[in-house]
Amino acid sequence: MKKDYSTLVTGIVLTVTVLTSTYAVAESDPLSFEVGLGANNSIAGVTVNYEVADSVEVFAGGGIGYVAGVKYYVTNNVRLTINHGTNSLLIGSGSIASKRFEGTNIGVGYASDRDGGWVIDLMYIDASKAKDYFAKNPNIYTLNDGKVKLSFGYRW
């Protein structure tokens, strides 16, 4: 049986709509939002960024899992990221439920504009917990192996 993520996607869209309609983000506002896929967005989800200094943001978010971390902007577009959160998902076969795993991730990314636009990050993820679990259950789950993953989304 395949998982139906339509409820999750609908919830994310409604949450983003409510947040953006009730909170106008001005150019000098320290808050920004990001929706996307990958380790920076808890596999698939929304993050809220808070600018604590000119070059530093802290962020937290949720979706399929959770994520929290720090972004350091080397330039206005290039950033270094470290976070901890959901970064691996083992897909179960048949009636077996999927399993989420957390780890620490570091990466380098590019934001087309810090005030809004497309973002992409190349992330080195710690998926050791997922790999260990998969090694014990190889016929039940599917593992997309690899330590370096893309994370991308849109920020406003």
Side-chain angles (χ1 to χ4, degrees), residues 50-64:
Y50 182 76
E51 188 176 325
V52 294
D54 285 343
S55 300
V56 180
E57 291 179 343
V58 294
F59 68 98
I64 290 180

Side-chain angles (χ1 to χ4, degrees), residues 36-84:
L37 302 171
N40 277 345
N41 300 95
S42 65
I43 299 179
V46 177
T47 61
V48 177
N49 307 293
Y50 182 76
E51 188 176 325
V52 294
D54 285 343
S55 300
V56 180
E57 291 179 343
V58 294
F59 68 98
I64 290 180
Y66 73 91
V67 65
V70 177
K71 297 173 187 168
Y72 172 73
Y73 283 85
V74 179
T75 69
N76 202 38
N77 302 99
V78 177
R79 65 189 189 184
L80 303 174
T81 302
I82 184 165
N83 67 48
H84 185 84

Side-chain angles (χ1 to χ4, degrees), residues 90-91 99 101 130-142:
L90 293 181
I91 307 297
K99 292 191 72 63
F101 295 89
K131 284 184 177 184
D132 292 345
Y133 191 87
F134 177 74
K136 296 174 187 170
N137 303 282
N139 298 325
I140 299 174
Y141 292 99
T142 302

